[in-house]
Amino acid sequence: MRANFLAHVAQTSPAPMALEIAGGHGCYLTDTDGRDYLDLIAGIGVSVLGHNNPVVVDAVREQAGKYMHTLVYGEFILAPQAEYARLLADHLPANLNNVYFVNSGTEATEGAMKLAKRATGRREIISAIRSYHGSTQGAASLQYPHDFTEAFQPLLPDIAHLDFNCDYCLHRITEKTAAVILETVQAEWGIRKPRREWLRAVRERCTEVGALLIFDEIQAGMGRTGTLWAFQQYDVTPDILLLAKGFGGGMPLGAFIARREVMQLLTDAPVLGHITTFGGHPVSCAAGLATLKKLVGGEGLIESVKHKEALFHELLVHPKIKQIRSAGLWMAVELSDFDEVRATIKKCLDLGLITDWFLWNERSLRIAPPLIITEEEIRQACAIILKSLED
C-alpha cells in the first residue's frame, strides 16, 4: 500500500505523514499495525462527532440502501436534502432560509461569489488578508499574500483586500463592491477572532453601499466555537453563509445559504446559473442531517465546548508555549518557529498524537479535535504535547 500510495496517489507536500489507516473510533485513528492515534485535527475540523460515529454510520447505511446518486438538482425531490435544508433553516436567522448544497467548502465559495455578482450586478469581491476560502481558481483568487497562488497566475481580476480588524480599511468597501467575504474566525492565520464592534461596522458599511456580506463558517460552523454558528456570538448576520467540513458529518458536503429571493436569481438569466453533479448527494446529506440532529439534540455537546477549551488552556502551560489563541475547540498553540513546530508534530506522532500547523502561521500547532473529546482524552493529549516539547 505504501508503494502504491507514493507512486500513484498525488501528494501535496514532499513529506506526507504516510500513516496507513485501518480504522477509526471516537477520537482515535488506528493504523495497520493496530496502533491508536489520538486525533487532534479531526480531518481539519471535519469529524465533529468523531470517527465511525454510529449515528452517522447508520444514516449513511440506511440512505445507501434506498438510493444513492440521482438527478441531484432541479428535478427530483430528495428527502435527505429537503429535511436537512429545513432543519438548517430552523436553526438560522430568517434571511438565511435557502440552501444550495455543493461538494466542498471551495465550491461553496465559488457559488457565493457568483451569486453576489448576479445579485448586485457588480464585479469586485473583497476578502481579508491571510484568509483562506479554498483552492479552486476563484476561491484562490481571494488569497493574499500570494505565497500559495503565485505559480497559478493570472487568477480572477477585481479582487481587493482589507486587513482583519482594521477600522480604517472599511473605506475600501464601496458602491463597486459586490461582496465582502470574511471568515468569522480567521482559521489559517492561526485562530484570529474579530472584534465585535469591527464586525458590526463591516455589516453596516456593506448595508450602506449595497454590498453583500458573506461569512465563511466552513471551519467555524457546526458547534466548533461553542455555539452552533460562530456569528451568533457577534450579533451580526451575513447575507450569505458558507458551510462545509463538519457540515457533512465526515462525508463530502458543503453549502452556500442565502435568502430565497436572492438564491432564485440562479434560476434565470441565465437558467442553470450554478449547477453541480454531486452537490447535495443523498448519502452525504443523510450524514450531515444526522450530525446536525445530534448537535442540537439536547445532549450538551456544543455546550461542553467552552469547558473543554478552558481545560486545554489550563493544562497547556510550558515555557516554550508563547501564546494560545482559541475559539472553542479550535486552537493555535504558538511556539517559537516552524522548526520547533515541525519537530513537535513529529514527536507527537511518535507518541500517538496527531496535530498539524497552519497555512499562514507556521509557528503554531493546530488543535481541532472532535467535539466528543473527553476530559480524560484532553489530559492525555496535553501530556503528550508537553512531553514532545520537553523532548
Side-chain angles (χ1 to χ4, degrees):
M1 284 302 113
R2 178 176 293 269
N4 289 337
F5 169 77
L6 293 173
H8 302 298
V9 177
Q11 280 108 49
T12 55
S13 80
M17 289 186 187
L19 288 178
E20 189 173 344
I21 302 301
H25 57 284
C27 292
Y28 293 87
L29 290 171
T30 305
D31 68 14
T32 50
D33 293 324
R35 186 183 185 192
D36 287 338
Y37 295 84
L38 182 53
D39 184 4
L40 279 196
I41 57 174
I44 312 299
V46 168
S47 302
V48 293
L49 297 182
H51 301 289
N52 212 27
N53 188 289
V55 170
V56 179
V57 172
D58 287 347
V60 167
R61 285 176 174 158
E62 181 181 353
Q63 182 56 43
K66 295 177 180 177
Y67 60 88
M68 291 192 285
H69 182 70
T70 67
L71 279 175
V72 176
Y73 273 100
E75 300 296 334
F76 297 166
I77 300 169
L78 307 178
Q81 274 192 4
E83 290 180 25
Y84 200 5
R86 174 57 189 268
L87 186 62
L88 285 164
D90 287 345
H91 289 86
L92 283 167
N95 70 307
L96 297 172
N97 60 13
N98 205 252
V99 183
Y100 194 115
F101 291 106
V102 292
N103 303 286
S104 65
T106 192
E107 192 186 345
T109 301
E110 298 281 352
M113 292 170 73
K114 289 172 66 177
L115 181 60
K117 291 178 178 180
R118 176 68 178 83
T120 64
R122 304 172 184 179
R123 298 173 56 176
E124 181 183 68
I125 307 287
I126 296 179
S127 64
I129 293 171
R130 299 185 188 89
S131 62
Y132 180 80
H133 303 285
S135 288
T136 50
Q137 290 199 67
S141 301
L142 301 171
Q143 290 184 32
Y144 187 85
H146 295 146
D147 302 45
F148 297 99
T149 61
E150 188 63 41
F152 312 110
Q153 299 291 336
L155 297 175
L156 287 186
D158 300 307
I159 303 296
H161 299 91
L162 51 75
D163 288 292
F164 205 67
N165 278 328
C166 171
D167 294 318
Y168 173 75
C169 298
L170 298 185
H171 76 278
R172 297 177 190 170
I173 307 169
T174 70
E175 285 78 7
K176 296 181 180 179
T177 306
V180 176
I181 177 169
L182 297 173
E183 297 163 285
T184 319
V185 176
Q186 278 207 301
E188 298 304 326
W189 194 18
I191 315 304
R192 311 279 181 164
K193 294 191 286 190
R195 291 183 291 110
R196 180 188 296 266
E197 59 272 20
W198 180 76
L199 207 58
R200 289 178 175 175
V202 174
R203 170 71 278 178
E204 291 171 4
R205 179 63 177 168
C206 286
T207 302
E208 177 185 349
V209 301
L212 300 185
L213 179 59
I214 304 170
F215 279 170
D216 176 343
E217 295 221 359
I218 290 166
Q219 292 191 60
M222 300 299 282
R224 174 64 57 191
T225 67
T227 50
L228 185 57
W229 319 116
F231 69 80
Q232 292 173 295
Q233 300 172 33
Y234 298 93
D235 296 324
V236 177
T237 302
D239 300 297
I240 305 175
L241 178 67
L242 311 185
L243 300 175
K245 294 194 181 291
F247 177 67
M251 295 291 286
L253 188 66
F256 57 103
I257 305 175
R259 184 164 48 90
R260 185 176 183 277
E261 291 77 8
V262 173
M263 198 72 82
Q264 287 292 102
L265 295 171
L266 295 177
T267 68
D268 185 44
V271 67
L272 307 178
H274 190 72
I275 53 176
T276 169
T277 298
F278 294 107
H281 192 284
V283 178
S284 294
C285 282
L289 175 62
T291 299
L292 183 56
K293 283 182 176 179
K294 183 79 169 176
L295 288 175
V296 300
E299 297 181 25
L301 265 180
I302 296 176
E303 291 75 13
S304 72
V305 164
K306 291 297 185 182
H307 170 71
K308 293 172 181 177
E309 175 187 15
L311 185 56
F312 270 106
H313 279 270
E314 176 187 330
L315 296 173
L316 285 177
V317 178
H318 192 279
K320 289 184 179 180
I321 296 176
K322 311 300 182 186
Q323 183 185 26
I324 299 176
R325 293 179 301 278
S326 64
L329 277 175
W330 195 21
M331 303 179 186
V333 180
E334 188 158 317
L335 307 179
S336 61
D337 55 36
F338 183 59
D339 288 338
E340 191 165 59
V341 167
R342 182 170 53 184
T344 304
I345 291 171
K346 184 179 184 303
K347 186 62 181 180
C348 283
L349 196 62
D350 292 342
L351 296 174
L353 183 76
I354 300 172
T355 182
D356 203 1
W357 51 289
F358 296 91
L359 289 181
W360 299 117
N361 188 324
E362 295 181 338
R363 299 188 307 275
S364 298
L365 295 173
R366 180 195 298 267
I367 294 178
L371 304 190
I372 64 167
I373 192 169
T374 65
E375 289 191 19
E376 180 182 351
E377 289 166 339
I378 292 173
R379 294 181 186 279
Q380 177 188 353
C382 291
I384 291 174
I385 293 171
L386 296 177
K387 178 171 174 52
S388 298
L389 291 171
E390 285 296 327
D391 292 349

